[in-house]
Structures are given as C-alpha cells and as structure tokens.
Amino acid sequence: MAILRLSPALSPACAVVSFPCRLSSQLLPRPPSRSTLICLAAAPKVPLPIASPASLGDDPSKWDPAECDALLRGGEQVASVLQEMVTLMEDMEMDGAFEPVAVELVAQGVIGKRVDEMESGFLMALDYMIQLAQKDADDERKSLLEVIKQTVLDHLTKKCPPHVQVVGLLCQTEKKESRHELLRRVAAGGGVFKNDKGLKCQIPGANLNDIANQADDLLESMESRDTIPDRKLLARLVIVREEARNMMGGGLLDERNDRGLTTLPEAEVNFLSKLVALKPGKALERMIRDVMNGKAEGADNIKQSSADSHSEQVHLTGLSGRGSVSGRKPRPVRPGMFLETVSKVLGGVYASNTSGITAQHLEWVHQTTLKILQELAF
C-alpha cells in the first residue's frame, strides 16, 4: 500500500461525492438480490451486497430508485467513517513511515464499532467513491477508501461460516500450489500457520465438499445473469470449485460432485460439439480463450427489440447443425457451466468403459480451459 500523507487538506469532504437526489415518494421497494451475501453467524442488521458501481451506469437519471436511495444512505455512512478516522488521526503524532500502519489500525477501530449497523449500500457507495477517485487520479483518497473497504470485508469474513471464509482465501491466492496446500490444511482441520513472510495466520477447518458447493452456488448466481460484471472473480470461483472437487477422494466420478444436473445446457453442448470435431491445437485453444473472455459464443446477451430477436431465431442452429431444440436463442456459454458439462460428458465416457480418443480429447479441453481461466483470474 502506498504511504498516505494526511495533510490538513484531507477531510471527509474530499472523499464525499454528490449523489443525485430522489424524492422519497419515488423510491420503490425492491426484492433482495440473489447476489446478497448473508452470513449465518452474527449477521449485520442489513445484509451487505457485493455490488459493483459499473452496474449503476454512467447516467444517474437511469439509476434504479432503490439503488440510488441505498447509495445515498451508504454514502452518508462512509462520510461519517471518514470524519471519525480523520479526527482520530489528527490526535496522533507519528512520522511518515508509520502512517500506513496507523491508518489501518484506526480503520479497524472505527469499522469494528459500526460493522453491524452498516447500511446495505455502504460497499456500493464505497466502490463508487473509489471509482471517482480513480477517475480524478487522486491516489491518496483512493488508498484511504480501499483501506476502509478491505477492513469492512475482513470484518464480514470473520462472521461467515468457515467454508465461506476459505472460498475468500482461495480467491486471493494466485499460485496453484499455494491453493492446493491451503486446501490440504483446511481439510485437515485448519490451525495456525506461518505464511511466506513469516507471519502467523489462522486458517479455519472446513469440508472440501462444502467449499466446492459454496463456490458452485456463487457461480450459479453470477452466471444466471445476462451480463457478467466481473469475469476475473468468475474465473477464480471456477478454479476454486474445480480444485476442491479434484481433491475429493473420488475425483471426477465422486458421487458428491453430482449437483442434480440431469439435462445438459444447450449452449455449452453446442460449443463442446464444435470443439470435439476439431483437432487439439492452437486454433482450438483460441476458440476456448475467446469464449472464456466473453467473446463469440460466450458474449453477454444484449437486449434487443423483439423484431431483431425474432429475425435471429430463424437462423439458429443447434447440435451438429440441426435446429435449436428449444427454438430460442441459447444463453451465452459460461465458464462454470461449460466445465460442468465437460465433466459430466467425461464422467459418462468413463462410466461406460468407452474411453479412448474422445476421452483424451475431453481431458485436453478440460485442462486447457483451466489453464486459460488461471491466466484470466490472476
């Protein structure tokens, strides 16, 4: 983290942004989103959604009234947190070398008292302010806001069940070998260990099946949307799920990996049929890479007029060039569901004792996809 210089000019006003106002009569009730992260242990009064400011759009007039209201209330709390932090920092005497540590300690104290009372729009407002600070090239304001955000996430993580905490740790671990070592220690019951820097860290114990299922649930929530706001996070969750499943005793054919997927998704089957018809190589790898990056068959669905949609449906083709089974445009190919489809087909090949060229081809597709997702995730 860059060293923060808390000059007299730094005040909460520099971090508070102007949000578009809405009349209270315009605020409409909105059902909770599936993306809301709810922790079962000591949950905050209002669940804190993992929200991205990009979902609001650049035009405030088009924002959802409920999201706008949450953003306003969250912004007020962020300003209050900044005010208290600056007040505490003014009373502390220190040289520049200790300022980053002091900021983190102050943030821990201030956030610790308020984390259970935070509004649902706190993180949303924080993300929005960080985005504005980045646009303004204000590194000092951006660093301070990021310290607050990380502190809030750390407090929320401690309130979550162990397998949820492990998923978060794995998503922050870049090296494959380190993730595998972390999974082994978690499966062994956790404990206190030293990291690469020689610092002690507490690792919770959790069940590998619970970890894989938690990552799969988050994937399902993200991939069911028309657009994917964060493909880097999506790729990390896919890797966590696949590595946790692979470490389980039965591997690919372990019955615990069967999450009830009885009908293979059309888009993923269509794409897989194209891949198995081609020889493994650079061209095939390029096709997979494009889809994993949200291009070609993996491109997000953009809302179109009903006339355009009808004209497209006439030219839809399904498996092996035949017409689409559903008669509708298939959903985009999603990384998590694609690897799930590959695993199901591969498991069927092994179960029928017909392994051969097809099984080798599918194994190559599976490993190549994981390699591409690793590059995309970190």
Side-chain angles (χ1 to χ4, degrees):
M1 182 182 71
I3 294 179
L4 301 177
R5 304 289 183 186
L6 293 179
S7 61
L10 180 61
S11 65
C14 73
V16 178
V17 296
S18 298
F19 298 109
C21 295
R22 300 274 184 130
L23 296 177
S24 59
S25 60
Q26 292 178 305
L27 299 177
L28 304 176
R30 176 173 171 162
S33 169
R34 289 187 63 188
S35 62
T36 303
L37 178 63
I38 303 177
C39 295
L40 301 178
K45 294 181 179 179
V46 180
L48 289 170
I50 305 300
S52 171
S55 62
L56 296 173
D58 296 327
D59 188 358
S61 64
K62 297 181 180 179
W63 289 359
D64 183 276
E67 287 186 342
C68 182
D69 181 56
L71 196 65
L72 285 167
R73 288 186 277 110
E76 291 175 357
Q77 282 198 331
V78 174
S80 177
V81 168
L82 286 168
Q83 176 67 61
E84 186 172 351
M85 286 183 62
V86 171
T87 301
L88 291 173
M89 292 293 291
E90 288 175 348
D91 297 335
M92 301 173 65
E93 295 183 1
M94 56 195 165
D95 54 31
F98 291 98
E99 282 188 4
V101 178
V103 170
E104 292 184 9
L105 291 175
V106 170
Q108 288 282 352
V110 175
I111 298 298
K113 296 185 301 181
R114 301 170 176 238
V115 68
D116 291 338
E117 303 175 355
M118 286 180 176
E119 295 286 346
S120 60
F122 186 88
L123 284 177
M124 189 189 303
L126 206 51
D127 278 339
Y128 189 73
M129 291 180 180
I130 291 173
Q131 189 181 70
L132 291 182
Q134 190 171 0
K135 288 182 179 179
D136 297 339
D138 190 338
D139 294 336
E140 184 177 3
R141 176 169 32 130
K142 181 172 176 285
S143 297
L144 182 59
L145 292 169
E146 286 179 341
V147 168
I148 296 174
K149 179 179 178 180
Q150 187 59 49
T151 304
V152 172
L153 292 177
D154 290 342
H155 278 279
L156 291 177
T157 299
K158 295 176 183 177
K159 296 176 179 291
C160 292
H163 60 276
V164 178
Q165 298 183 37
V166 173
V167 171
L169 289 172
L170 291 170
C171 285
Q172 299 175 35
T173 307
E174 180 177 354
K175 295 181 180 179
K176 181 178 179 179
E177 296 77 12
S178 299
R179 289 195 301 270
H180 288 182
E181 180 64 22
L182 177 59
L183 281 171
R184 282 191 288 269
R185 294 184 177 183
V186 166
V192 179
F193 302 93
K194 286 187 177 181
N195 59 16
D196 296 338
K197 299 180 181 178
L199 301 176
K200 290 184 179 180
C201 58
Q202 177 75 36
I203 298 178
N207 185 282
L208 289 175
N209 192 39
D210 292 338
I211 296 170
N213 290 347
Q214 178 65 44
D216 191 49
D217 290 341
L218 293 172
L219 277 173
E220 182 184 355
S221 177
M222 293 182 69
E223 294 187 339
S224 62
R225 304 178 184 180
D226 290 330
T227 58
I228 303 296
D230 191 345
R231 288 192 171 270
K232 186 180 291 291
L233 175 60
L234 184 70
R236 292 180 182 182
L237 287 171
V238 175
I239 291 173
V240 169
R241 184 193 68 182
E242 295 299 314
E243 291 180 349
R245 285 181 175 178
N246 188 59
M247 193 167 287
M248 288 161 61
L252 184 65
L253 297 179
D254 195 309
E255 60 183 10
R256 291 171 293 180
N257 289 337
D258 187 3
R259 299 296 306 278
L261 182 64
T262 56
T263 304
L264 296 179
E266 185 177 354
E268 281 74 10
V269 171
N270 289 346
F271 181 58
L272 185 57
S273 67
K274 292 182 181 179
L275 298 181
V276 297
L278 298 175
K279 185 178 180 180
K282 294 294 183 181
L284 201 58
E285 183 175 345
R286 194 179 309 112
M287 289 176 61
I288 298 175
R289 188 180 300 277
D290 287 344
V291 170
M292 295 301 108
N293 281 279
K295 303 175 183 177
E297 289 91 339
D300 292 334
N301 277 337
I302 301 175
K303 294 183 179 179
Q304 299 172 335
S305 64
S306 58
D308 293 338
S309 299
H310 181 269
S311 62
E312 282 190 358
Q313 288 176 6
V314 176
H315 300 92
L316 290 179
T317 58
L319 186 61
S320 301
R322 296 191 294 272
S324 173
V325 176
S326 63
R328 294 178 286 106
K329 183 177 181 180
R331 295 180 63 86
V333 176
R334 298 305 193 196
M337 186 56 71
F338 174 68
L339 277 179
E340 184 89 2
T341 302
V342 174
S343 297
K344 290 292 180 183
V345 175
L346 194 53
V349 171
Y350 286 142
S352 60
N353 294 322
T354 57
S355 58
I357 300 299
T358 303
Q360 294 176 9
H361 198 153
L362 290 172
E363 287 281 9
W364 183 90
V365 170
H366 191 274
Q367 295 302 319
T368 301
T369 304
L370 283 178
K371 184 188 74 172
I372 292 171
L373 289 174
Q374 171 72 25
E375 296 171 359
L376 176 62
F378 300 98

